[in-house]
Amino acid sequence: MAPRSSKKALTLCLFQSLAGVLFGWSNSEGSGLFNMDSYQRRFGTCDASGLCTLGTTRQSAITGLLSVGATIGAVGSGSVADRFGLRLTCLIFIFIYLIGAAIETSAMNTYGQICVARLLTGLGVGATSGLVPVFQAEAAPPRFRGLVTGSFQLCVTLGIWGVAITNWGMSSYAGDVSWRVPVGLQMAWAVLLLVGFVLSPESPRFLAKKGKWDHCRKNLANLRGLPMDHPDIEAEMVEVREATLKDQEQGDASYLECFSTKDRILWRTMIGIFVQIGQQITGINFFFSYGVQFAQTAGIDNSYIFQIILASVNVLFSFPGILAVDRAGRRPVLLIGGALMFTGQIVVGSVSKAYPDDKIAGDVLIAFTCLFVASFASSWGPVAWVVCGETFPIRLSSLCVTLGTGANWLFNLIIAFAAPQIQAIIGTGITFVWAGCLALSFTFAYFCIPETKGMSIEEVDALYLSHTAAWKSSNFRQSQASSQKLASEKAYARSTHREGDEGKSQQTSARTSAEGAMV
């Protein structure tokens, strides 16, 4: 059980993970909507016979514009947060999200209205998905940081599952209610997140940076659930003050500094960016954005049920991933998960190509797609957010993390536009493309991502500055402790030796004095 001083921070951080629900819901709602007759009639194109369809170009645009807005929101929100604070910036972008969701829900026949709405909701979800892990990395105790940051991905899976269930439930309705309910429900989650941030204190480190020390102490005590004069608060205030003064000596942070070679910041920025790209190129969002269409291409009868199965597996296997990241560590989870996902994609592609329209082959396809989703949910899903949230020094974290999140959304955008076109050409063979990308992600994780299980942000700093190879990093803390112990023993031996020399010198002087007196 978490100590009393951790419960308040854990509660607030876990509540803010609701931003993940917005992420998952908004990113996956189209998969079901695109097949609804009412949605196709209003926003698709109709031929002379009255048959209406939503072409792949419009599907890509509706899906992709969310990613365009999210990329802009993720990258732009970092500098806004540095000026106005994490809390206020998140409140502003949640309000923008609500405006976009309201526009989308009220759309009538104008395809352009849907596009504007998706752009605005993208701005909101991109900003919150970039800033929430930063707040969580600052506020959560080190021993719970993996759990807290990983809970963001759990909420992403819950959003995907919720919209899959809702789309399936509303697919039997013929009117506009079939698509307005799934679209409108996203506003409920945004309101809950808005309330959560209203109740949350501003980041104490932001207040310290602005010189508001009394307010900083008050918010830190509020966050820790302790009195302002508690010794733990005083000790943490000393750490915050020292870190703030050190940061002020270096001047204001900027995006340009994220690409500086000093203190290996460029290397760390690249790790944050590439781990987020690696999460996207697994192909996971293809299955949740276009899963219904993939199921139809693969010859699966009930495509909505297929989507619900995948979403349920995604939620269920997020729990072992969140627990494993702080127990087994970051590297083993990423590497094992990557290998299993690769296997799943290869089998799905091979079976679907070798035995098209075969019922048994269809069952095998579902089973190995579930293996792929389960492996993602328990590895790259949560761990990519953990790695990105803890890799950077506090001073640059809001900027560097939003760059990583922006890369995530940028590749989401590329996949949203490209995947339907690729699938139209090679069908289910698209899984071989994802398998190739997974091989690259596995290689990147092995050679570049160090083990940071249980480390404080300061210890992570020391790890990177030590230039320890990623595959040797699991022994870093032990080697550091051994080095410190050896240094202490050497210092003690030197002091003992000096004391011995001083004692001998005194004895020699005493003998000399005695001999002189006898003479």
Side-chain angles (χ1 to χ4, degrees):
M1 182 177 290
R4 177 171 174 261
S5 61
S6 299
K7 289 180 180 178
K8 183 75 175 284
L10 286 173
T11 302
L12 290 173
C13 289
L14 292 172
F15 198 92
Q16 288 170 357
S17 287
L18 283 173
V21 175
L22 302 187
F23 187 126
W25 194 285
S26 301
N27 203 35
S28 303
E29 67 178 17
S31 181
L33 300 184
F34 295 158
N35 273 25
M36 293 180 179
D37 291 337
S38 177
Y39 196 85
Q40 291 176 340
R41 284 197 305 272
R42 286 197 177 275
F43 308 113
T45 54
C46 302
D47 59 20
S49 66
L51 178 65
C52 301
T53 58
L54 197 68
T56 55
T57 301
R58 289 201 171 188
Q59 289 182 29
S60 297
I62 292 172
T63 305
L65 280 168
L66 178 85
S67 300
V68 171
T71 303
I72 297 169
V75 174
S77 61
S79 55
V80 178
D82 268 359
R83 183 172 182 180
F84 297 105
L86 289 169
R87 177 178 176 272
L88 181 58
T89 302
C90 283
L91 287 171
I92 291 169
F93 278 97
I94 294 168
F95 189 70
I96 292 172
Y97 180 93
L98 282 168
I99 293 173
I103 293 173
E104 186 178 4
T105 306
S106 62
M108 296 303 291
N109 296 299
T110 307
Y111 164 68
Q113 186 175 347
I114 292 290
C115 292
V116 171
R118 294 286 283 177
L119 190 65
L120 290 175
T121 53
L123 285 171
V125 77
T128 53
S129 63
L131 296 178
V132 163
V134 176
F135 184 93
Q136 291 176 329
E138 289 187 13
R143 62 191 290 252
F144 295 113
R145 194 170 61 243
L147 168 67
V148 167
T149 313
S151 69
F152 179 87
Q153 177 63 25
L154 172 62
C155 285
V156 173
T157 67
L158 288 171
I160 294 169
W161 180 82
V163 78
I165 291 290
T166 307
N167 282 340
W168 169 70
M170 302 309 298
S171 64
S172 58
Y173 290 82
D176 288 345
V177 69
S178 63
W179 64 269
R180 290 196 195 275
V181 169
V183 171
L185 274 175
Q186 62 189 326
M187 289 190 286
W189 312 121
V191 169
L192 285 175
L193 183 62
L194 188 74
V195 171
F197 270 101
V198 167
L199 297 177
S200 296
E202 182 53 86
S203 165
R205 287 173 173 80
F206 169 78
L207 296 171
K209 186 171 67 174
K210 295 297 182 182
K212 300 178 181 180
W213 295 106
D214 291 340
H215 197 178
C216 173
R217 181 183 289 272
K218 179 182 177 181
N219 280 19
L220 188 60
N222 183 17
L223 196 60
R224 296 290 180 256
L226 294 171
M228 290 176 62
D229 58 353
H230 194 279
D232 288 353
I233 299 299
E234 183 60 39
E236 192 163 356
M237 279 297 297
V238 170
E239 293 179 3
V240 171
R241 189 180 298 274
E242 289 177 352
T244 302
L245 293 175
K246 181 181 177 181
D247 289 345
Q248 288 175 347
E249 291 174 0
Q250 301 177 51
D252 293 335
S254 67
Y255 276 114
L256 186 62
E257 193 175 345
C258 297
F259 299 95
S260 168
T261 56
K262 183 182 178 182
D263 295 336
R264 304 192 78 197
I265 296 300
L266 175 60
W267 175 252
R268 294 156 76 169
T269 299
M270 290 300 102
I271 286 178
I273 288 174
F274 282 115
V275 76
Q276 291 284 9
I277 291 174
Q279 188 196 66
Q280 282 300 310
I281 62 176
T282 59
I284 189 66
N285 278 333
F286 166 77
F287 284 96
F288 289 119
S289 294
Y290 301 107
V292 171
Q293 291 72 26
F294 176 81
Q296 291 172 341
T297 302
I300 297 173
D301 295 331
N302 196 324
S303 54
Y304 281 104
I305 295 298
F306 173 72
Q307 194 77 346
I308 290 173
I309 290 171
L310 294 189
S312 300
V313 170
N314 197 24
V315 172
L316 181 63
F317 281 87
S318 291
F319 291 98
I322 291 172
L323 295 174
V325 69
D326 278 328
R327 295 186 181 183
R330 282 59 164 158
R331 283 176 57 80
V333 173
L334 287 173
L335 295 174
I336 294 172
L340 290 173
M341 283 190 285
F342 177 85
T343 302
Q345 294 283 36
I346 290 293
V347 172
V348 167
S350 301
V351 168
S352 62
K353 286 295 185 184
Y355 303 99
D357 301 321
D358 183 276
K359 186 180 184 305
I360 296 177
D363 293 340
V364 172
L365 185 147
I366 292 174
F368 277 88
T369 303
C370 287
L371 170 67
F372 163 76
V373 173
S375 303
F376 173 87
S378 56
S379 60
W380 281 81
V383 180
W385 294 104
V386 175
V387 170
C388 193
E390 68 186 9
T391 296
F392 312 105
I394 293 296
R395 179 170 172 271
L396 293 172
S397 59
S398 63
L399 299 179
C400 293
V401 171
T402 50
L403 283 175
T405 308
N408 182 301
W409 282 107
L410 177 61
F411 271 75
N412 197 331
L413 168 64
I414 293 169
I415 290 168
F417 277 103
Q421 318 302 329
I422 295 172
Q423 182 176 253
I425 298 171
I426 63 176
T428 54
I430 195 172
T431 59
F432 295 123
V433 176
W434 306 131
C437 293
L438 278 162
L440 293 175
S441 297
F442 181 94
T443 304
F444 161 72
Y446 182 83
F447 287 105
C448 300
I449 298 178
E451 183 56 70
T452 52
K453 179 182 71 172
M455 292 185 182
S456 67
I457 297 297
E458 291 73 22
E459 287 175 323
V460 174
D461 257 343
L463 169 62
Y464 278 102
L465 293 175
S466 71
H467 291 263
T468 301
W471 57 92
K472 297 180 180 178
S473 57
S474 57
N475 296 323
F476 175 74
R477 296 182 77 185
Q478 183 179 350
S479 63
Q480 286 288 96
S482 299
S483 298
Q484 290 175 1
K485 182 180 178 182
L486 182 60
S488 298
E489 290 174 348
K490 287 182 177 178
Y492 176 76
R494 284 195 298 268
S495 64
T496 304
H497 182 70
R498 283 196 300 269
E499 289 174 2
D501 287 345
E502 289 173 1
K504 290 178 181 178
S505 176
Q506 290 173 1
Q507 290 175 8
T508 302
S509 299
R511 281 198 303 269
T512 303
S513 299
E515 290 171 357
M518 289 174 65
V519 172

